[in-house]
Amino acid sequence: MRVLLTGGAGFIGSHIADSLTGRGHDVVVLDNLLPQAHSGVPEWTSGIVRGDVQDLELVTRLLRGVDAVCHQAAVVGHGLDPSDAPLYARNNDHGTAVLLAAMHSAGVRKLVLASSMVVYGEGQYVCTFHGDVRPDPRLPADLEAGRYEPACPVCGDSLMPELVDEDAPLDPRSTYAATKVAQEHLASAWARQTGGGVWALRYHNVYGPRMPRDTPYAGVASLFRSALQRGEAPTVLEDGKQRRDFVHVRDVATANVLALEASVSGFVPVNVCSGTPHTVGDLAYELAAAYGGPLPQIVGGARSGDVRHVVASPARARAVLGYTAEVGFAQGVQAFATDPLRA
């Protein structure tokens, strides 16, 4: 199979490229090497086409003879503040729109889209008295007072977080999240209009070798590891008890390969996760111990748009793709302590 892989020089994309090549597929890698993620051409990538997914002429040319597209190109992470909105919308949403237009012209009808758990906002919650509920966004006054847990919007009682599945409502709470929801809607509309098929892989907290370091666009695992490399204690917001699903990048690459090799009809969202929740504090302490660095500092506070708990059900991925994460949390974090990061 010949695959156009956008963002293929990036953290996740480069691992997908390795996995596809290792399985005998022909991969065309496109990447514009945005400075938010790259300080130069990564040493592990060779033969990439340097260009922008927003370049319709270039993308149309690269799609000749292609069987499927794996779309990883995006500006990721929490960013700085709302002034980043044009950067996110231009690269994530306009870039996806151009790619889909080019695929339509080229007659390519299969897409694997890198989506994210951020489309859910807060995860799934249950109230003892009112069953399944969707908590309201947390108030700044509550966060400043150290009241981090969302309450039932009906009675104000405490909630129990549960695994979120793909049928949960979409509720983006950051600029990045809003652009990922828009990408999904664009891809879904394209599938309906063209008869094409889309796997929308909703990544949870991905970590592993080749993460970019020392950037506000990096994930929390990279921020902790970067601090340790500087000889500093990892800084953990809130009380460190916020729950996430940390999934190793090799498992994410495997999910993408399985999706590219599987048939799909219409638009199908799939959680890509480990299925085993851990707290952000767990990650910080495990990583500091493995690295041999200073213990984490729990500092309270929260960033605007942060959610308390979002952990996922892996059931659909197992059923439709035969995907099960193989890298355990302890094993993955131990390795990540010495994994190479991107400068």
Side-chain angles (χ1 to χ4, degrees):
M1 175 171 51
R2 185 172 175 85
V3 177
L4 173 61
L5 173 60
T6 72
F11 164 44
I12 297 173
S14 64
H15 285 276
I16 296 171
D18 290 347
S19 295
L20 285 170
T21 302
R23 290 175 70 98
H25 297 297
D26 183 14
V27 185
V28 179
V29 174
L30 173 66
D31 203 300
N32 67 352
L33 301 180
L34 274 176
Q36 286 78 10
H38 302 274
S39 60
V41 180
E43 67 275 10
W44 56 79
T45 301
S46 61
I48 71 167
V49 177
R50 185 166 184 175
D52 200 312
V53 73
Q54 299 175 73
D55 185 338
L56 179 61
E57 182 178 352
L58 171 62
V59 174
T60 301
R61 175 167 57 83
L62 294 178
L63 283 168
R64 293 172 188 161
V66 161
D67 301 296
V69 173
C70 186
H71 184 32
Q72 306 295 313
V75 177
V76 302
H78 201 85
L80 298 173
D81 56 48
S83 64
D84 277 332
L87 173 72
Y88 278 101
R90 183 171 59 252
N91 286 277
N92 297 1
D93 299 336
H94 183 254
T96 298
V98 172
L99 174 65
L100 293 170
M103 290 177 65
H104 173 59
S105 298
V108 180
R109 294 290 180 261
K110 185 172 185 180
L111 174 68
V112 175
L113 173 68
S115 187
S116 171
M117 57 89 173
V118 297
V119 301
Y120 297 122
E122 287 284 355
Q124 186 76 26
Y125 289 86
V126 172
C127 173
T128 302
F129 303 102
H130 297 100
D132 292 340
V133 295
R134 298 287 297 173
D136 296 325
R138 298 180 296 170
L139 299 175
D142 287 334
L143 298 176
E144 290 172 8
R147 295 188 293 269
Y148 301 120
E149 294 292 342
C152 175
V154 181
C155 67
D157 204 357
S158 60
L159 299 174
M160 177 65 67
E162 295 195 337
L163 299 183
V164 63
D165 65 28
E166 293 85 352
D167 296 327
L170 305 186
D171 185 18
R173 300 192 178 184
S174 69
T175 299
Y176 172 59
T179 64
K180 299 311 285 186
V181 170
Q183 281 186 300
E184 288 200 8
H185 287 328
L186 287 166
S188 179
W190 170 86
R192 288 194 300 272
Q193 291 172 320
T194 65
V198 179
W199 293 110
L201 302 185
R202 292 174 178 167
Y203 303 157
H204 286 251
N205 287 69
V206 187
Y207 72 99
R210 305 177 187 170
M211 287 191 87
R213 68 169 180 253
D214 295 325
T215 165
Y217 300 92
V220 66
S222 176
L223 297 178
F224 290 164
R225 167 66 193 282
S226 297
L228 289 165
Q229 252 181 287
R230 296 191 301 269
E232 301 170 3
T235 298
V236 182
L237 298 179
E238 303 188 22
D239 56 4
K241 296 179 182 178
Q242 54 271 49
R243 297 167 79 231
R244 297 291 188 270
D245 188 308
F246 298 99
V247 58
H248 197 272
V249 67
R250 289 204 302 271
D251 287 324
V252 174
T254 297
N256 276 271
V257 173
L258 291 172
L260 285 163
E261 294 178 343
S263 60
V264 60
S265 178
F267 178 86
V268 183
V270 179
N271 287 324
V272 176
C273 59
S274 72
T276 305
H278 290 274
T279 69
V280 174
D282 289 340
L283 174 66
Y285 280 100
E286 291 276 351
L287 187 58
Y291 191 87
L295 292 178
Q297 294 181 351
I298 310 297
V299 299
R303 299 180 301 180
S304 173
D306 273 353
V307 298
R308 180 60 172 174
H309 305 296
V310 54
V311 293
S313 168
R316 181 178 294 180
R318 186 166 54 245
V320 300
L321 294 177
Y323 164 81
T324 300
E326 295 184 354
V327 181
F329 180 76
Q331 171 194 357
V333 172
Q334 181 73 35
F336 185 60
T338 55
D339 280 336
L341 299 184
R342 179 181 315 162

